[in-house]
Amino acid sequence: GPNVITIEIAHLLKQWEDVPDADTRTVAKALVKRFRQQGTKEEDWYRSVRLAIAMERLAEHLRLDALCVLGQHYIEKATGAPARLGASMMLEKGKHLVGSEDDIIGLTMMHILYWLTGNPPLAAEWGQYDAAHNALLLVGHGMASPALAGSDDQITLTGAPEEWGFQGAGVNMQFIMSPGTVTMGHLLDTPSGWQMLISGGESLEYPCLPCKEIHALVKVERPVKEYLSELQRRGVTHHIVVVHGDVRAELQKLASVLNVGSFVL
Protein backbone atom coordinates (compact mmCIF):
# COMPACT_ATOMS: atom_id res chain seq x y z
CA GLY A 1 0.00 0.00 0.00
CA PRO A 2 0.96 3.66 -0.12
CA ASN A 3 3.53 5.02 2.28
CA VAL A 4 3.55 8.71 3.20
CA ILE A 5 6.73 10.13 4.70
CA THR A 6 7.57 13.56 6.05
CA ILE A 7 10.68 15.07 4.48
CA GLU A 8 12.68 17.57 6.48
CA ILE A 9 13.75 20.80 4.78
CA ALA A 10 17.35 19.75 5.48
CA HIS A 11 16.99 16.87 3.00
CA LEU A 12 16.00 19.26 0.24
CA LEU A 13 18.68 21.78 1.14
CA LYS A 14 21.34 19.08 0.92
CA GLN A 15 20.32 18.43 -2.69
CA TRP A 16 20.03 22.17 -3.37
CA GLU A 17 23.52 22.90 -2.09
CA ASP A 18 25.02 20.12 -4.23
CA VAL A 19 23.57 21.31 -7.57
CA PRO A 20 26.51 22.39 -9.78
CA ASP A 21 26.36 25.89 -11.25
CA ALA A 22 26.93 24.42 -14.71
CA ASP A 23 23.79 22.28 -14.43
CA THR A 24 21.77 25.30 -13.34
CA ARG A 25 23.00 27.41 -16.26
CA THR A 26 22.31 24.65 -18.80
CA VAL A 27 18.70 24.17 -17.70
CA ALA A 28 18.08 27.91 -17.43
CA LYS A 29 19.37 28.54 -20.96
CA ALA A 30 17.07 25.85 -22.36
CA LEU A 31 14.03 27.40 -20.64
CA VAL A 32 14.93 30.92 -21.80
CA LYS A 33 15.18 29.65 -25.36
CA ARG A 34 11.90 27.75 -25.12
CA PHE A 35 9.58 30.31 -23.48
CA ARG A 36 9.15 34.07 -23.55
CA GLN A 37 9.90 35.97 -20.35
CA GLN A 38 8.44 38.97 -18.61
CA GLY A 39 10.08 40.75 -15.70
CA THR A 40 12.40 37.96 -14.59
CA LYS A 41 15.96 38.62 -13.45
CA GLU A 42 19.12 36.52 -13.59
CA GLU A 43 19.15 35.88 -9.84
CA ASP A 44 15.51 34.73 -9.99
CA TRP A 45 16.43 32.28 -12.73
CA TYR A 46 19.45 30.99 -10.88
CA ARG A 47 17.58 30.29 -7.64
CA SER A 48 14.40 28.87 -9.21
CA VAL A 49 16.20 26.54 -11.61
CA ARG A 50 18.60 25.37 -8.93
CA LEU A 51 15.62 24.55 -6.70
CA ALA A 52 13.88 22.78 -9.58
CA ILE A 53 16.88 20.50 -10.10
CA ALA A 54 17.12 19.84 -6.36
CA MET A 55 13.44 18.89 -6.11
CA GLU A 56 13.73 16.27 -8.83
CA ARG A 57 16.96 14.89 -7.40
CA LEU A 58 15.34 14.65 -3.97
CA ALA A 59 12.45 12.64 -5.41
CA GLU A 60 14.88 10.35 -7.19
CA HIS A 61 17.14 9.99 -4.13
CA LEU A 62 14.25 9.00 -1.84
CA ARG A 63 12.57 6.93 -4.59
CA LEU A 64 9.34 8.89 -4.36
CA ASP A 65 6.40 8.43 -6.69
CA ALA A 66 5.06 11.88 -5.87
CA LEU A 67 5.89 14.98 -3.90
CA CYS A 68 3.63 17.30 -1.91
CA VAL A 69 5.29 20.55 -0.89
CA LEU A 70 4.50 22.97 1.89
CA GLY A 71 6.55 25.87 0.65
CA GLN A 72 5.64 29.39 1.66
CA HIS A 73 7.80 30.34 4.67
CA TYR A 74 9.74 27.06 4.45
CA ILE A 75 11.17 26.31 0.99
CA GLU A 76 10.94 29.90 -0.22
CA LYS A 77 12.62 31.34 2.85
CA ALA A 78 15.42 28.78 2.80
CA THR A 79 16.26 28.89 -0.92
CA GLY A 80 15.08 32.33 -2.02
CA ALA A 81 12.79 30.81 -4.65
CA PRO A 82 9.31 29.25 -4.88
CA ALA A 83 8.82 25.58 -5.74
CA ARG A 84 6.52 26.46 -8.65
CA LEU A 85 8.93 26.08 -11.57
CA GLY A 86 10.39 22.86 -10.22
CA ALA A 87 6.92 21.36 -9.80
CA SER A 88 5.91 22.28 -13.35
CA MET A 89 9.08 20.78 -14.79
CA MET A 90 8.54 17.53 -12.87
CA LEU A 91 4.88 17.37 -13.88
CA GLU A 92 5.82 17.78 -17.54
CA LYS A 93 8.11 14.75 -17.39
CA GLY A 94 5.23 12.71 -15.96
CA LYS A 95 7.34 10.54 -13.67
CA HIS A 96 6.34 12.35 -10.48
CA LEU A 97 3.15 14.19 -9.63
CA VAL A 98 3.59 17.26 -7.43
CA GLY A 99 0.98 18.87 -5.19
CA SER A 100 1.08 21.87 -2.90
CA GLU A 101 -0.06 23.20 0.47
CA ASP A 102 0.42 19.78 2.06
CA ASP A 103 -2.75 18.53 0.30
CA ILE A 104 -2.12 14.78 0.30
CA ILE A 105 -5.78 14.09 -0.50
CA GLY A 106 -5.58 16.40 -3.51
CA LEU A 107 -2.41 14.62 -4.62
CA THR A 108 -4.36 11.36 -4.45
CA MET A 109 -7.04 12.79 -6.73
CA MET A 110 -4.35 14.02 -9.11
CA HIS A 111 -3.13 10.43 -9.41
CA ILE A 112 -6.63 9.07 -9.97
CA LEU A 113 -7.40 11.52 -12.78
CA TYR A 114 -3.96 11.05 -14.33
CA TRP A 115 -4.33 7.27 -14.34
CA LEU A 116 -7.84 7.41 -15.82
CA THR A 117 -7.10 9.93 -18.59
CA GLY A 118 -3.35 9.86 -19.22
CA ASN A 119 -3.50 13.67 -19.17
CA PRO A 120 -1.63 15.96 -16.76
CA PRO A 121 -3.85 17.30 -13.96
CA LEU A 122 -4.10 20.82 -12.60
CA ALA A 123 -4.57 21.20 -8.85
CA ALA A 124 -6.24 24.56 -8.37
CA GLU A 125 -8.39 26.67 -6.09
CA TRP A 126 -11.86 27.99 -6.69
CA GLY A 127 -11.14 31.58 -7.70
CA GLN A 128 -14.06 33.60 -9.04
CA TYR A 129 -17.11 33.02 -11.21
CA ASP A 130 -18.09 34.52 -14.57
CA ALA A 131 -21.87 34.73 -14.88
CA ALA A 132 -21.73 35.77 -18.55
CA HIS A 133 -19.86 32.58 -19.48
CA ASN A 134 -21.51 30.47 -16.74
CA ALA A 135 -17.98 29.55 -15.79
CA LEU A 136 -15.59 29.24 -12.89
CA LEU A 137 -12.11 30.75 -12.76
CA LEU A 138 -9.80 28.11 -11.32
CA VAL A 139 -6.43 29.40 -10.14
CA GLY A 140 -3.49 27.06 -9.66
CA HIS A 141 -0.45 27.39 -7.48
CA GLY A 142 1.94 27.85 -10.37
CA MET A 143 2.25 24.09 -10.62
CA ALA A 144 1.15 22.33 -13.81
CA SER A 145 2.65 20.72 -16.87
CA PRO A 146 3.17 23.24 -19.67
CA ALA A 147 1.34 20.71 -21.87
CA LEU A 148 -1.89 22.06 -20.37
CA ALA A 149 -1.35 25.30 -22.29
CA GLY A 150 -1.58 23.51 -25.63
CA SER A 151 1.69 24.92 -26.98
CA ASP A 152 4.81 26.65 -25.70
CA ASP A 153 3.93 29.94 -27.40
CA GLN A 154 0.97 30.26 -25.01
CA ILE A 155 3.27 30.38 -21.97
CA THR A 156 5.08 33.33 -20.39
CA LEU A 157 7.65 32.95 -17.64
CA THR A 158 7.04 35.62 -15.01
CA GLY A 159 7.82 36.26 -11.39
CA ALA A 160 5.76 34.43 -8.78
CA PRO A 161 2.54 36.21 -7.68
CA GLU A 162 3.15 35.43 -4.00
CA GLU A 163 6.02 36.51 -1.77
CA TRP A 164 6.76 34.53 1.37
CA GLY A 165 9.65 36.37 2.94
CA PHE A 166 12.29 35.72 0.27
CA GLN A 167 14.31 38.19 -1.77
CA GLY A 168 13.44 38.43 -5.47
CA ALA A 169 10.45 37.15 -7.41
CA GLY A 170 11.34 33.65 -8.51
CA VAL A 171 10.23 32.23 -11.87
CA ASN A 172 6.70 31.05 -12.57
CA MET A 173 4.66 29.91 -15.60
CA GLN A 174 1.72 32.05 -16.67
CA PHE A 175 -0.85 30.45 -18.98
CA ILE A 176 -4.50 29.45 -19.26
CA MET A 177 -5.60 25.84 -19.66
CA SER A 178 -6.29 24.95 -23.29
CA PRO A 179 -9.94 24.44 -24.33
CA GLY A 180 -11.76 21.12 -24.20
CA THR A 181 -13.94 18.82 -22.14
CA VAL A 182 -12.72 18.43 -18.55
CA THR A 183 -13.42 16.43 -15.42
CA MET A 184 -13.09 17.96 -11.96
CA GLY A 185 -12.87 16.07 -8.70
CA HIS A 186 -11.70 15.86 -5.12
CA LEU A 187 -12.03 13.65 -2.04
CA LEU A 188 -13.72 15.03 1.07
CA ASP A 189 -13.34 13.77 4.64
CA THR A 190 -16.81 14.40 6.10
CA PRO A 191 -18.46 13.51 9.44
CA SER A 192 -20.46 10.83 7.59
CA GLY A 193 -17.41 9.35 5.86
CA TRP A 194 -15.40 9.93 2.71
CA GLN A 195 -17.15 11.57 -0.24
CA MET A 196 -15.94 12.05 -3.80
CA LEU A 197 -16.82 15.23 -5.67
CA ILE A 198 -17.32 14.48 -9.37
CA SER A 199 -18.01 17.23 -11.87
CA GLY A 200 -17.78 17.89 -15.58
CA GLY A 201 -17.29 21.02 -17.61
CA GLU A 202 -15.65 22.67 -20.56
CA SER A 203 -12.38 24.56 -20.41
CA LEU A 204 -13.13 27.63 -22.50
CA GLU A 205 -10.93 29.27 -25.08
CA TYR A 206 -10.19 32.60 -23.45
CA PRO A 207 -7.31 35.10 -23.40
CA CYS A 208 -4.66 34.39 -20.80
CA LEU A 209 -5.08 36.72 -17.85
CA PRO A 210 -1.98 38.74 -16.83
CA CYS A 211 -2.07 37.29 -13.32
CA LYS A 212 1.38 35.62 -13.13
CA GLU A 213 -0.45 32.35 -12.53
CA ILE A 214 -1.65 29.13 -14.14
CA HIS A 215 -5.42 29.26 -14.45
CA ALA A 216 -8.48 27.88 -16.24
CA LEU A 217 -11.94 29.17 -17.14
CA VAL A 218 -14.33 26.21 -16.89
CA LYS A 219 -17.94 26.36 -18.01
CA VAL A 220 -20.20 24.19 -15.85
CA GLU A 221 -23.44 22.44 -16.80
CA ARG A 222 -25.82 23.97 -14.26
CA PRO A 223 -26.21 27.71 -13.49
CA VAL A 224 -22.91 28.78 -12.00
CA LYS A 225 -24.36 30.48 -8.91
CA GLU A 226 -26.47 27.39 -8.19
CA TYR A 227 -23.33 25.29 -8.68
CA LEU A 228 -21.37 27.37 -6.15
CA SER A 229 -24.22 27.24 -3.63
CA GLU A 230 -24.23 23.45 -3.84
CA LEU A 231 -20.45 23.35 -3.39
CA GLN A 232 -20.77 25.34 -0.19
CA ARG A 233 -23.70 23.26 1.03
CA ARG A 234 -21.63 20.12 0.58
CA GLY A 235 -18.68 21.59 2.48
CA VAL A 236 -16.26 21.29 -0.43
CA THR A 237 -12.71 22.38 0.38
CA HIS A 238 -10.93 25.22 -1.42
CA HIS A 239 -8.95 22.86 -3.69
CA ILE A 240 -10.13 21.15 -6.89
CA VAL A 241 -8.32 18.99 -9.43
CA VAL A 242 -9.17 19.39 -13.13
CA VAL A 243 -8.01 17.33 -16.12
CA HIS A 244 -8.82 17.14 -19.84
CA GLY A 245 -11.24 14.33 -20.68
CA ASP A 246 -14.58 13.03 -19.41
CA VAL A 247 -14.15 10.27 -16.81
CA ARG A 248 -17.16 11.00 -14.60
CA ALA A 249 -18.60 7.51 -15.10
CA GLU A 250 -15.26 5.92 -14.24
CA LEU A 251 -15.00 8.00 -11.06
CA GLN A 252 -18.45 6.89 -9.95
CA LYS A 253 -17.46 3.25 -10.47
CA LEU A 254 -14.20 3.79 -8.58
CA ALA A 255 -16.04 5.43 -5.67
CA SER A 256 -18.36 2.42 -5.52
CA VAL A 257 -15.45 -0.04 -5.51
CA LEU A 258 -13.73 1.93 -2.75
CA ASN A 259 -16.98 2.12 -0.77
CA VAL A 260 -16.77 5.90 -0.91
CA GLY A 261 -19.84 8.08 -1.28
CA SER A 262 -20.03 10.34 -4.32
CA PHE A 263 -22.02 13.25 -5.62
CA VAL A 264 -22.06 14.66 -9.15
CA LEU A 265 -22.34 18.35 -9.97
Side-chain angles (χ1 to χ4, degrees):
N3 182 30
V4 179
I5 63 173
T6 299
I7 302 171
E8 299 292 338
I9 187 69
H11 295 131
L12 175 62
L13 291 180
K14 176 63 170 63
Q15 297 293 332
W16 183 74
E17 290 166 355
D18 290 344
V19 174
D21 289 347
D23 291 359
T24 300
R25 289 194 295 270
T26 298
V27 174
K29 287 179 180 178
L31 290 170
V32 168
K33 184 177 180 180
R34 181 178 173 188
F35 303 110
R36 62 176 174 268
Q37 303 88 49
Q38 185 179 58
T40 56
K41 298 179 180 179
E42 183 177 358
E43 183 64 19
D44 295 327
W45 276 100
Y46 179 81
R47 290 181 175 275
S48 290
V49 170
R50 185 181 179 189
L51 176 58
I53 296 172
M55 288 170 61
E56 183 172 10
R57 292 183 178 179
L58 176 69
E60 295 286 352
H61 175 68
L62 297 178
R63 300 180 182 179
L64 304 177
D65 296 305
L67 188 65
C68 193
V69 301
L70 180 59
Q72 301 162 338
H73 293 292
Y74 299 95
I75 296 175
E76 281 83 344
K77 187 67 175 179
T79 66
R84 293 163 168 262
L85 182 65
S88 294
M89 291 169 62
M90 291 174 69
L91 284 162
E92 182 178 32
K93 292 181 179 179
K95 186 176 181 180
H96 307 92
L97 293 183
V98 186
S100 65
E101 294 188 345
D102 210 21
D103 186 1
I104 301 296
I105 300 173
L107 187 61
T108 301
M109 180 54 72
M110 290 176 71
H111 274 89
I112 291 171
L113 292 175
Y114 180 60
W115 290 334
L116 289 176
T117 65
N119 296 322
L122 169 63
E125 295 185 357
W126 309 102
Q128 299 176 335
Y129 71 91
D130 184 333
H133 291 87
N134 200 59
L136 300 161
L137 175 65
L138 306 180
V139 182
H141 300 88
M143 298 180 176
S145 168
L148 279 172
S151 62
D152 287 356
D153 61 2
Q154 301 299 312
I155 299 173
T156 302
L157 295 175
T158 70
E162 298 175 307
E163 189 276 319
W164 295 98
F166 64 93
Q167 298 297 317
V171 176
N172 184 70
M173 291 187 179
Q174 174 184 277
F175 65 82
I176 190 167
M177 188 176 185
S178 60
T181 300
V182 300
T183 301
M184 297 182 286
H186 212 291
L187 291 162
L188 313 172
D189 187 6
T190 75
S192 58
W194 286 96
Q195 296 282 320
M196 183 183 291
L197 163 63
I198 303 170
S199 186
E202 179 188 359
S203 179
L204 298 178
E205 185 170 1
Y206 197 81
C208 178
L209 302 176
C211 57
K212 297 184 178 181
E213 186 55 277
I214 297 170
H215 52 289
L217 187 65
V218 177
K219 182 179 181 180
V220 291
E221 295 179 350
R222 65 170 66 183
V224 66
K225 292 184 181 180
E226 178 185 314
Y227 184 100
L228 289 171
S229 294
E230 183 64 12
L231 282 181
Q232 294 179 53
R233 189 183 75 80
R234 294 278 186 169
V236 171
T237 66
H238 70 297
H239 284 175
I240 186 68
V241 181
V242 56
V243 68
H244 282 111
D246 185 355
V247 289
R248 288 175 290 180
E250 289 86 344
L251 287 178
Q252 291 181 71
K253 291 179 181 178
L254 177 61
S256 176
V257 169
L258 296 175
N259 197 27
V260 169
S262 64
F263 59 96
V264 181
L265 287 181

